[in-house]
Amino acid sequence: MKWRYQVILFLFLCSFFLILARLFYWQIVQGDQLTQQAQSQYGSLVTVEPKRGDIQTSDGFPIVTNRLSYLVFANPKEISDVGHVAEELSSLLNIEVASLSGRLSYDGYWVSLKSGIDTKTKDAINELKIPGVGFEENYARFYPEASMAASLVGFVGKDTVGNSKGYFGLEGYYDRQLKGRSGQAVEVHDALGRPILSQVSGNGQAQDGRTLVLTIDRSLQFLAEAKLKEGVKQFGADAGLIAIMDPKTGGILAMANYPSFDENTFWEYDTSLYKNPMISNLYEPGSTIKPIVMAGAFENNLLKPDSTCPICSKPVQVGDYAIHTWNDEYFPNITMQDVIRHSDNTGMVYVSEKMGLKRMLSNFENFGLTDTTNVDLQGEAVSTILDRKTWYPIDVATSAFGQGISVTPMELLDAFSALANNGVRMQPHVVDKIITADGQTIPIAPKKLSQPISAKTAKVMTEILVYTVDKGEASFARLKGYRIAGKTGTASIPVAGHYDPTQTIASFIGYAPADDPKFVMLVVYDKPSASIYGAETAAPTFFDVAKHILSYYGISATSSE
Amino acid sequence: MKITTKILLGFALLISGLVMTRIIVSSMFSVDGIALSQMNTQIASLDRENMILKERIYSASSYTVIASDAATMGFVEEKSQISLSNASSIAIKQ
C-alpha cells in the first residue's frame, strides 16, 4: 500500500511544481504583456492631455489662455447622401463642396474634415444631426487681446512628432513650465460595458501647465502699441519699438514693436516678424550712448560736468578721419553738460581720449553692453564688441558717440536704467511670478546685476539729462512742469562699408520723474522718412507716451514751467 | 451530528456568506461606478461651459474690444490734462 501513497504524493508534487512554473511564467515572464491584455479587456486606456498654462498681465488678465477647439471627422460608411452632407457642411466649415465630397467618398471608416473649429461652429453642425459626423475635443490657444505683445509672447506650433511646442518669446523660453505633463487614465467597465470605476494608471496623473504672471502692465502695453503704430505711420518709418521698464526692479512694463504678427495665424506672416527686435536686433545706438560714456568719465574722476573741451572749436582729426558735429555747429570750450545737451560728437571724442581704450571697454562691460542681459525671453542676440587688440584710435573715438559698436535695444535700456536707479543695474525680466497647477505661487525676485557707477554720479548724470530735455534739441516736445531726464539718438545705418546719411535709426531714451523714476522708456524708429532725427520723431512719441504714463500713475507736475 | 458534518456545514456557510458579500459589494461598486461616471460627465460638461463663458468674458473685457466700442459710442481721448502745481488762493484762505 505504501508505494501507492508515494505515487500519489509524487503526482501531487509534480502537479504543484507544474502549477508553480506556470504561475511564474504568467506572473513574471509574461506579466507586463498580460496586464496590458487584461486592461484592454476590462477597461480602456485614455491619454489625458494637460491644459497649457495661461500668460497673464500684472492685473491678472490672461493675454494668452485656452479655448475649446474641435476636430470634425466623419465615418464615410455611415453617410448615404454625400452630396447633400457636403453642401450642408461646406458653408459652416468654409471648405469647398467638391473638396468635402471627395473626403466623404473616401473608402474608410474615419476621415478628418477640419481641425480648430470653435464651439459655435460645432453647435451649428450638431444641430444638423448628420449621422456619421463626430467631434474630437481639444484645446487651442486663445488671445483675448488679439495680437497684443505678439513678439513678446511668441506662439505655439508643433514639434517634429506633432506635439504642441512653444516658439519664440515667452512661449519658447517657458515652454517646459507652460506645457504641463500628460497622463494616462484607465476607465474600467463591466462585462456589459458599463463603467465600474475610474482609476489612474501608474504612469502618473496629468498635470496642467503653470501660469505665468508678467510684469507687463496691460494698460501701458495697450498704450505703447497704439502710440507706436500711430508714430510709425506719422513719421513714415519702416518699423519701430517702444519698451518701458521699472528701473528699480528690472521688470518690463511694456514692450511693443510694429509691424508684428498675429499669433492665431502666425504661418501667414513673414518669419522675420517672429523675432522680437527688442532682444534680437543689433543696432548702432548713436547719441543715446553718450550719457553712458560720460558717466564713466565722471565715475573715473577724469572729467566734471563743468570741465571744458579744448578741441571742440572745429572738426576733430583722428587718424585719416575728420569727426564733425551732427549739424556742423561748433562750441569752443563747451562744458561737458553742454556736450550732452548739444549732442556734440567732438566733445565725446575728447571724452574718449580722456578715457582711453581700457576704460572705455571696461565701462561698456560694467554697463552690460558686451554681454546678453539674460532676459527671460527666447532669442536674445549677443552684442558684438571688437576684441581689444583690433581697436584703432578711430574706433575708440566713434564708439563714444555710438558708432562702430552694436547693442540690442534691451541692453541699452538696461544700461540706461542704471542712471535712473542710483547707479544699480537690475536684471531685466518679464515674468513676475509662476503659479503652479495646484495654486502655489513661485515669486521671481528682482536681481541686481552690477553697479557701474555710484549713486552720486547717477544723480549728476540725471541733472545733466534733465537739463538736456529742458534746453536741448527736443525741448519743444517736453512736458512742462515735469522733471524728465532723457537723450535723443540719431544713428546712421552702415550700408556697404559706409554710413548712409539719408537712412537713420532715430531714438529717444529717458526716465521720469527724474528724482524718483517710475519708468525708463526707449522709443526707436527704423528709417523714418518724415525726419531723420530722433529729436523730431522719437522724442515727440516719448513725451506723448510719458504724459499718459504719468497721468496713469497719478503723478502731477511739480512746477508750472 | 458528526464533527466532519459540522466542519463541512461551516465551510458551506462561510462560502455562501462570502459569495453574498461579493455580490452585494460588486452591486454597490457597480452603482457607484455609474454614479461616478455621471458625475464625471457632469463635471466635464460644467468645465466646458465655464471655458466657453470665460472665453466670452475675456473677449468682452479686452482693451481692444472696449477701445473699439468706446470709439463707436463717440468717446474721444482727452488731449489736455489739468494739474495744480501750487495750492489755489481759495485753498490757502481756507
Side-chain angles (χ1 to χ4, degrees):
Chain A
M1 285 296 279
K2 198 177 176 183
W3 66 272
R4 286 185 181 177
Y5 283 116
Q6 283 173 341
V7 168
I8 287 169
L9 185 64
F10 177 74
L11 286 174
F12 266 105
L13 279 173
C14 284
S15 308
F16 177 74
F17 280 112
L18 278 172
I19 290 167
L20 202 67
R22 194 65 185 160
L23 281 174
F24 180 82
Y25 176 76
W26 282 340
Q27 297 281 337
I28 310 296
V29 181
Q30 290 287 315
D32 288 344
Q33 199 180 328
L34 290 171
T35 305
Q36 281 178 8
Q37 271 184 19
Q39 276 183 353
S40 67
Q41 281 171 12
Y42 65 69
S44 51
L45 195 65
V46 196
T47 301
V48 183
E49 288 298 336
K51 254 190 260 179
R52 198 170 169 88
D54 288 359
I55 299 177
Q56 301 176 349
T57 45
S58 58
D59 59 349
F61 186 87
I63 53 170
V64 185
T65 183
N66 302 296
R67 66 174 170 78
L68 288 170
S69 168
Y70 297 90
L71 164 78
V72 193
F73 62 85
N75 179 357
K77 303 277 181 197
E78 285 185 37
I79 295 170
S80 49
D81 190 348
V82 171
H84 179 65
V85 171
E87 264 178 37
E88 279 193 314
L89 292 178
S90 171
S91 58
L92 290 168
L93 296 177
N94 202 18
I95 302 176
E96 283 183 19
V97 177
S99 173
L100 269 179
S101 294
R103 286 185 221 184
L104 293 171
S105 306
Y106 172 70
D107 186 19
Y109 292 94
W110 193 93
V111 64
S112 163
L113 299 181
K114 192 174 183 180
S115 64
I117 69 156
D118 58 21
T119 314
K120 205 183 277 182
T121 313
K122 182 227 170 193
D123 291 344
I125 296 170
N126 248 347
E127 277 178 21
L128 296 173
K129 292 179 181 161
I130 305 168
V133 173
F135 304 92
E136 189 183 297
E137 188 179 282
N138 45 47
Y139 299 112
R141 276 316 219 186
F142 170 53
Y143 306 92
E145 289 286 8
S147 60
M148 179 189 269
S151 299
L152 174 79
V153 164
F155 56 84
V156 178
K158 299 283 180 193
D159 64 10
T160 47
V161 288
N163 292 325
S164 294
K165 181 175 162 61
Y167 294 94
F168 296 95
L170 291 163
E171 294 278 21
Y173 192 90
Y174 286 100
D175 187 45
R176 287 185 67 183
Q177 303 269 2
L178 287 165
K179 73 179 177 188
R181 195 178 61 212
S182 60
Q184 287 186 318
V186 179
E187 193 177 68
V188 185
H189 50 76
D190 64 13
L192 295 173
R194 292 176 307 198
I196 296 173
L197 272 177
S198 285
Q199 69 180 52
V200 173
S201 77
N203 290 341
Q205 204 167 7
Q207 197 172 51
D208 287 341
R210 293 173 167 186
T211 291
L212 306 180
V213 181
L214 310 183
T215 55
I216 297 289
D217 185 311
R218 188 162 59 115
S219 302
L220 298 189
Q221 182 70 30
F222 185 77
L223 170 73
E225 291 194 1
K227 293 293 175 189
L228 179 66
K229 192 175 174 183
E230 201 179 291
V232 167
K233 286 179 181 166
Q234 185 186 348
F235 301 119
D238 280 6
L241 66 87
I242 294 178
I244 307 167
M245 185 168 113
D246 179 350
K248 289 168 187 165
T249 63
I252 303 293
L253 302 171
M255 195 186 277
N257 63 284
Y258 184 86
S260 189
F261 65 95
D262 186 341
E263 302 101 311
N264 277 311
T265 51
F266 65 86
W267 56 89
E268 291 176 3
Y269 291 82
D270 192 285
T271 50
S272 63
L273 291 174
Y274 298 162
K275 284 196 302 179
N276 184 345
M278 189 65 198
I279 56 165
S280 301
N281 285 4
L282 290 165
Y283 80 115
E284 296 196 355
S287 299
T288 48
I289 203 85
K290 287 172 182 169
I292 307 285
V293 177
M294 189 67 84
F298 291 164
E299 184 67 16
N300 285 291
N301 292 317
L302 300 167
L303 291 165
K304 289 180 179 170
D306 56 357
S307 302
T308 54
C309 171
I311 60 165
C312 293
S313 56
K314 58 182 180 181
V316 178
Q317 197 71 26
V318 181
D320 295 336
Y321 303 92
I323 292 173
H324 296 252
T325 57
W326 64 276
N327 56 358
D328 254 338
E329 201 177 334
Y330 298 90
F331 303 92
N333 293 314
I334 188 174
T335 60
M336 290 304 114
Q337 65 172 1
D338 280 324
V339 164
I340 297 293
R341 173 194 164 189
H342 292 298
S343 203
D344 191 323
N345 290 346
T346 57
M348 291 311 297
V349 174
Y350 176 64
V351 176
S352 73
E353 285 175 359
K354 292 293 257 181
M355 291 271 280
L357 173 60
K358 192 180 168 188
R359 284 201 193 93
M360 283 287 281
L361 288 177
S362 162
N363 190 51
F364 287 144
E365 198 176 317
N366 291 341
F367 274 100
L369 297 175
T370 57
D371 202 358
T372 52
T373 63
N374 289 324
V375 65
D376 48 349
L377 293 170
Q378 197 178 57
E380 188 176 14
V382 184
S383 55
T384 49
I385 296 280
L386 291 172
D387 186 67
R388 182 176 294 188
K389 290 172 190 167
T390 59
W391 280 66
Y392 289 96
I394 186 63
D395 297 321
V396 182
T398 58
S399 69
F401 52 89
Q403 284 191 354
I405 57 163
S406 299
V407 297
T408 62
M410 177 59 81
E411 282 177 316
L412 183 68
L413 183 71
D414 194 37
F416 216 83
S417 71
L419 304 178
N421 189 34
N422 293 317
V424 178
R425 191 168 67 90
M426 302 298 289
Q427 161 102 60
H429 62 276
V430 181
V431 175
D432 185 39
K433 56 191 170 193
I434 296 171
I435 301 171
T436 61
D438 55 1
Q440 279 187 320
T441 301
I442 305 165
I444 295 173
K447 186 178 164 192
K448 179 184 166 181
L449 286 179
S450 65
Q451 179 153 12
I453 52 169
S454 65
K456 189 183 160 193
T457 306
K459 290 284 177 204
V460 169
M461 258 341 286
T462 296
E463 287 307 318
I464 293 175
L465 291 170
V466 171
Y467 173 68
T468 303
V469 165
D470 291 347
K471 306 286 181 190
E473 277 71 29
S475 61
F476 71 94
R478 77 187 178 95
L479 295 180
K480 286 182 181 171
Y482 289 99
R483 275 170 52 78
I484 297 177
K487 181 74 191 78
T488 54
T490 305
S492 300
I493 298 173
V495 180
H498 71 281
Y499 287 102
D500 185 340
T502 61
Q503 293 192 342
T504 60
I505 293 175
S507 58
F508 192 95
I509 188 164
Y511 48 93
D515 301 308
D516 182 20
K518 291 282 182 286
F519 66 91
V520 52
M521 171 166 46
L522 171 66
V523 179
V524 179
Y525 286 122
D526 188 14
K527 302 188 194 103
S529 57
S531 164
I532 60 166
Y533 298 113
E536 292 168 359
T537 52
T541 303
F542 176 95
F543 289 110
D544 189 17
V545 177
K547 181 180 78 178
H548 286 85
I549 300 175
L550 290 165
S551 168
Y552 175 67
Y553 282 144
I555 300 167
S556 57
T558 50
S559 71
S560 55
E561 285 302 309
Chain B
M1 200 181 284
K2 280 183 180 177
I3 187 80
T4 47
T5 315
K6 280 181 183 174
I7 290 168
L8 283 173
L9 195 62
F11 272 121
L13 283 171
L14 182 68
I15 289 164
S16 309
L18 287 171
V19 167
M20 286 302 290
T21 310
R22 186 192 158 92
I23 289 167
I24 292 164
V25 170
S26 297
S27 306
M28 280 169 67
F29 271 126
S30 179
V31 176
D32 282 356
I34 292 164
L36 186 66
S37 170
Q38 282 170 347
M39 278 197 291
N40 280 337
T41 310
Q42 205 174 351
I43 289 167
S45 163
L46 290 170
D47 273 347
R48 199 173 295 126
E49 208 172 303
N50 275 346
M51 278 198 85
I52 294 165
L53 289 173
K54 269 204 289 190
E55 189 182 329
R56 283 187 200 157
I57 290 166
Y58 292 148
S59 294
S61 56
S62 77
Y63 284 169
T64 317
V65 170
I66 292 169
S68 163
D69 288 352
T72 312
M73 291 163 80
F75 285 91
V76 288
E77 188 189 328
E78 185 63 63
K79 295 285 178 191
S80 62
Q81 291 171 14
I82 300 167
S83 68
L84 300 174
S85 52
N86 297 309
S88 72
S89 55
I90 297 169
I92 290 166
K93 280 176 187 170
Q94 284 179 341

